[in-house]
Amino acid sequence: MSEIPESRGETAYVVDAGDHYIATVLECLGTKSLVADAMRPHLGRSSYDRIAQDAVAAIVNDLVAVGATPLVVHAYFAVGASEWFADEERASDLVRGWARACLEAGASWGGGESPALGGIIRTDAIDLAGSAVGIVRPKSRLVTSDKLREGDAIVLLASTGIHTNGLSLARKLAAELPDGYLTPMEDGRYFGDALLDPAPLYSRVVEGAQQAGLEIHYMVHITGHGWRKLMRAPQDLTYLLEEVPTVPPVLEFICREGRIPEAEAYALFNMGAGFAIFLPPAQADELVRLASQQGVDALVAGRVIEGPRRVVIQPKGIEYSAEDLRIR
């Protein structure tokens, strides 16, 4: 096997396996499990089924961004003490949520590892992570930045909430609020409950677009770095956003209560867009239709134009330059 050099720096690493490519990725959930633990006494449920989907989504959504079809997902459940798994409700919720998310992503759960790391991880805590292997067949399905071009439409797939990015900031905010995670939002939900809404698995949308023969030029999983991630490709191109999706209530709450300026918010959070697909403008409406069939809202939000490497969010008067991005 030999590597595909263009995949270095992308969200998944790709190697040539003869008549097909193999893509691999490794990801983790982050600190969202701490929110689930804190909210358990108040919700009467562990919520580990929800955050299990978040972990699988973090892995799979990175994998499909290079055009790979998920084959196998492996789990890494590291705990501070093996007694963590003696809580049958919590452990079964974790297993059930992970299995269900793998099934929804069209992948097999291939097992994994569950080490007890006393002295490294807190006794009552868990570190959820995992890896995945995917296949790119036919090879023409491979998506790397070299296909991206001026004139491409930018289609944004809707997010459901905070996903897995920005939880440390959200936990800091909760510590500063008088009622913490139990602070009610405008829709009546607890702040802590809304933080636990799981991220979508965008794999079905990508697979549907590929099966329909849409000419995908690039894809970005919008996580860390927020909308700055739209300029992940190294080319000198400008990403002009002429429309923005609705911001999930939990992110509106964080920005308002945390007094986070919009320019900073769009540089940190997904702000309603969890995934971006770049393709010819004549195919953009069809992609929106296909996404809707999979239960995912989508928006033709803008286009790629000639210019320096930057993101311009026109309705908000926000602009990010290449100097604002530190991911390559």
Side-chain angles (χ1 to χ4, degrees):
M1 291 189 182
S2 58
E3 76 166 16
I4 303 303
E6 295 81 8
S7 71
R8 284 202 174 268
E10 297 294 349
T11 53
Y13 177 67
V14 184
V15 295
D16 193 329
D19 68 343
H20 62 278
Y21 297 121
I22 293 292
T24 61
V25 67
L26 174 67
E27 259 295 347
C28 71
L29 174 69
T31 62
K32 204 167 189 177
S33 60
L34 298 178
V35 182
D37 292 339
M39 287 301 296
R40 186 179 185 183
H42 309 289
L43 297 177
R45 56 179 296 193
S46 79
S47 295
Y48 268 76
D49 52 339
R50 294 199 278 172
I51 65 172
Q53 175 169 324
D54 268 311
V56 173
I59 299 164
V60 169
N61 291 341
D62 271 2
L63 186 72
V64 301
V66 297
T69 299
L71 293 178
V72 181
V73 175
H74 298 286
Y76 180 77
F77 301 160
V79 295
S82 58
E83 286 77 16
W84 192 97
F85 296 104
D87 185 326
E88 293 185 7
E89 178 191 50
R90 183 174 57 184
S92 63
D93 283 347
L94 172 60
V95 169
R96 178 166 49 86
W98 193 281
R100 185 180 62 209
C102 290
L103 182 64
E104 183 180 336
S108 172
W109 180 3
E113 178 69 8
S114 55
L117 304 177
I120 297 177
I121 297 177
R122 203 176 66 195
T123 301
D124 59 345
I126 186 169
D127 178 23
L128 298 180
S131 63
V133 177
I135 186 170
V136 183
R137 179 188 285 154
K139 285 184 167 181
S140 58
R141 283 191 174 192
L142 181 66
V143 179
T144 54
S145 62
D146 60 308
K147 294 183 179 181
L148 186 66
R149 64 192 63 167
E150 178 188 348
D152 281 345
I154 305 172
V155 176
L156 300 179
L157 305 186
S159 69
T160 52
I162 196 170
H163 293 184
T164 58
N165 182 59
L167 267 298
S168 293
L169 193 153
R171 291 190 298 111
K172 180 181 178 181
L173 174 60
E176 296 171 352
L177 294 171
D179 295 317
Y181 291 125
L182 299 184
T183 302
M185 303 195 312
E186 289 185 357
D187 60 3
R189 298 181 68 195
Y190 289 138
F191 174 44
D193 185 28
L195 286 174
L196 295 171
D197 287 341
L201 291 144
Y202 297 114
S203 52
R204 298 293 191 186
V205 177
V206 174
E207 185 67 22
Q210 290 176 319
Q211 289 183 359
L214 299 190
E215 187 182 337
I216 298 175
H217 289 166
Y218 198 50
M219 291 183 280
V220 172
H221 183 199
I222 301 174
T223 53
H225 305 277
W227 285 36
R228 292 175 294 170
K229 204 103 174 226
L230 293 173
M231 56 176 163
R232 184 182 188 106
Q235 294 98 314
D236 284 330
L237 293 168
T238 293
Y239 305 88
L240 178 62
L241 284 305
E242 298 162 309
E243 293 188 55
V244 296
T246 301
V247 179
V250 68
L251 294 179
E252 284 190 329
F253 179 88
I254 292 171
C255 294
R256 183 179 67 252
E257 297 298 322
R259 296 179 179 85
I260 301 173
E262 275 195 322
E264 185 177 347
Y266 277 88
L268 294 174
F269 303 113
N270 66 64
M271 298 303 281
F275 202 84
I277 299 179
F278 302 80
L279 76 173
Q283 300 179 6
D285 288 339
E286 176 63 8
L287 175 58
V288 171
R289 188 188 69 82
L290 290 171
S292 179
Q293 288 182 342
Q294 297 298 332
V296 177
D297 290 334
L299 172 70
V300 184
R303 52 203 167 93
V304 181
I305 63 174
E306 182 182 4
R309 189 181 177 201
R310 59 180 180 157
V311 172
V312 178
I313 309 175
Q314 198 171 61
K316 300 293 182 178
I318 297 170
E319 180 175 325
Y320 305 114
S321 68
E323 286 69 32
D324 297 317
L325 192 62
R326 296 288 183 271
I327 61 173
R328 293 192 73 90

